């Protein structure tokens, strides 16, 4: 079945253009021109993806994102203005899965959409595994361990010393990649490919942003040094 996408954009031409392109790709598309309508539509329909402009009348995009994610975890790609670095960071903080800077090439947007939908499909698969009756508590398969940290891939959960740590999808993939490659220094490019998909066209410093998020959620809270920076190369988690 075709993916169902909501476009939230108040610039009428851009909204119309994007709608036509997405329909041409075979997606089912709805459109909203202000934040309040967008939030209503996003909570009452089951979209596979939302493209969300930040500067919107009535309710801005970040507020829409915050309120929406209290109710459901529909993936959101933010449409941001060129120099709005703070918007990007607060958007990722608020749970956006990606952002694209306007004006964008339609091929780039379509590539981001494909990556996000693939990620969503993978997430749906792991959510199904959590609910399956064969998923017994004693099973250790799919669990990555580092000191007191435990990552359960199938349950999509991370615990430190038994305390649950809330991670976004991207942070989870990033930590998983580092844990699966323990003692191997991974470059920003390698991490970017694993975390954002091979056709991600954004800046590699987004990896530094995710490392900062992970450190603030884990290293700083539990006073440990889990993710190590190897200057000029990348990042590593060491087993000892
Ligand atoms: Ca706008």
């Amino acid at each position: 079945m075709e993916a169902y996408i909501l476009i939230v954009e108040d610039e009428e031409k851009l909204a119309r253009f994007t709608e036509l392109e997405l329909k041409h790709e075979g997606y089912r598309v709805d459109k909203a021109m202000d934040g309040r309508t967008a939030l209503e539509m996003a909570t009452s329909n089951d979209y596979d993806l939302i493209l969300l402009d930040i500067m919107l009348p009535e309710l801005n995009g970040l507020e829409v994102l915050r309120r929406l994610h209290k109710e459901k975890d529909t993936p959101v790609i933010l449409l941001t203005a060129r120099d709005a670095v703070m918007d990007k960071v607060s958007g990722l903080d608020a749970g956006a899965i990606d952002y694209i800077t306007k004006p964008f090439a339609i091929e780039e947007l379509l590539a981001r959409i494909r990556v996000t939908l693939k990620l969503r499909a993978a997430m749906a698969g792991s959510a199904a595994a959590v609910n399956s009756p064969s998923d017994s508590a004693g099973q250790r398969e799919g669990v990555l361990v580092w000191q007191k940290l435990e990552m359960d891939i199938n349950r999509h959960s991370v615990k430190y010393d038994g305390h649950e740590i809330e991670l976004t999808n991207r942070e989870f993939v990033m930590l998983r990649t580092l844990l699966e490659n323990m003692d191997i220094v991974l470059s920003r490019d390698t991490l970017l490919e694993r975390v954002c998909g091979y056709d991600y066209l954004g800046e590699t410093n987004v990896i530094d942003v995710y490392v900062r998020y992970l450190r603030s959620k884990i290293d700083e809270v539990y006073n440990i040094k889990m993710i190590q920076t190897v200057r000029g190369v990348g990042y590593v988690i060491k087993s000892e």
Side-chain angles (χ1 to χ4, degrees):
M1 217 177 66
E2 75 275 29
Y4 191 16
I5 299 177
L6 175 65
I7 301 171
V8 187
E9 172 60 73
D10 61 319
E11 288 163 55
E12 209 164 339
K13 267 188 175 168
L14 180 58
R16 180 82 191 127
F17 167 74
T18 311
E19 181 188 22
L20 287 174
E21 290 286 346
L22 294 190
K23 282 187 173 166
H24 182 72
E25 289 295 307
Y27 296 119
R28 189 175 155 209
V29 183
D30 283 347
K31 213 167 47 176
M33 309 281 278
D34 68 79
R36 205 163 290 282
T37 309
L39 185 61
E40 273 170 28
M41 291 175 77
T43 42
S44 56
N45 295 302
D46 279 324
Y47 294 105
D48 297 299
L49 174 66
I50 299 173
L51 302 178
L52 181 60
D53 183 28
I54 292 187
M55 297 295 284
L56 287 169
E58 309 250 349
L59 204 60
N60 77 50
L62 290 178
E63 199 49 42
V64 172
L65 179 62
R66 278 189 202 105
R67 295 192 195 181
L68 172 67
H69 277 186
K70 280 184 190 157
E71 301 194 24
K72 42 169 62 173
D73 60 356
T74 315
V76 170
I77 297 179
L78 291 173
L79 309 175
T80 70
R82 182 157 291 286
D83 297 316
V85 175
M86 269 324 289
D87 282 350
K88 292 170 190 170
V89 171
S90 11
L92 294 171
D93 265 340
I97 206 154
D98 204 352
Y99 60 82
I100 187 164
T101 307
K102 294 195 282 187
F104 49 79
I106 194 70
E107 293 75 21
E108 185 186 357
L109 179 66
L110 293 174
R112 302 284 181 91
I113 289 174
R114 283 194 296 272
V115 168
T116 303
L117 291 174
K118 249 189 284 173
L119 192 64
R120 176 170 170 78
M123 300 297 299
S126 62
V130 172
N131 296 324
S132 79
S134 63
D135 189 26
S136 70
Q139 202 174 37
R140 301 306 289 166
E141 207 175 304
V143 177
L144 299 167
V145 179
W146 178 85
Q147 296 188 6
K148 291 177 183 169
L149 184 112
E150 276 193 18
M151 168 176 268
D152 189 322
I153 306 296
N154 297 323
R155 290 171 184 273
H156 205 265
S157 88
V158 178
K159 287 180 181 169
Y160 189 87
D161 207 6
H163 301 281
E164 194 81 39
I165 300 165
E166 298 250 350
L167 298 182
T168 64
N169 294 344
R170 284 272 170 90
E171 290 161 359
F172 188 89
V173 175
M174 172 101 176
L175 182 58
R176 176 181 176 172
T177 305
L178 286 165
L179 287 170
E180 283 175 340
N181 295 280
M182 208 167 307
D183 295 316
I184 299 169
V185 181
L186 299 175
S187 70
R188 286 178 179 78
D189 284 334
T190 303
L191 285 167
L192 194 69
E193 196 180 301
R194 292 290 300 272
V195 175
C196 300
Y198 66 92
D199 43 7
Y200 178 80
L201 299 165
E203 308 103 40
T204 54
N205 66 9
V206 75
I207 290 302
D208 303 318
V209 174
Y210 288 125
V211 166
R212 214 152 59 228
Y213 290 163
L214 283 173
R215 282 177 175 156
S216 73
K217 287 181 177 182
I218 304 171
D219 294 45
E220 286 164 26
V221 176
Y222 300 102
N223 199 23
I224 53 172
K225 274 200 186 304
M226 177 179 64
I227 302 177
Q228 307 202 7
T229 306
V230 180
R231 208 158 280 169
V233 187
Y235 296 101
V236 65
I237 294 178
K238 290 185 179 164
S239 53
E240 98 304 343

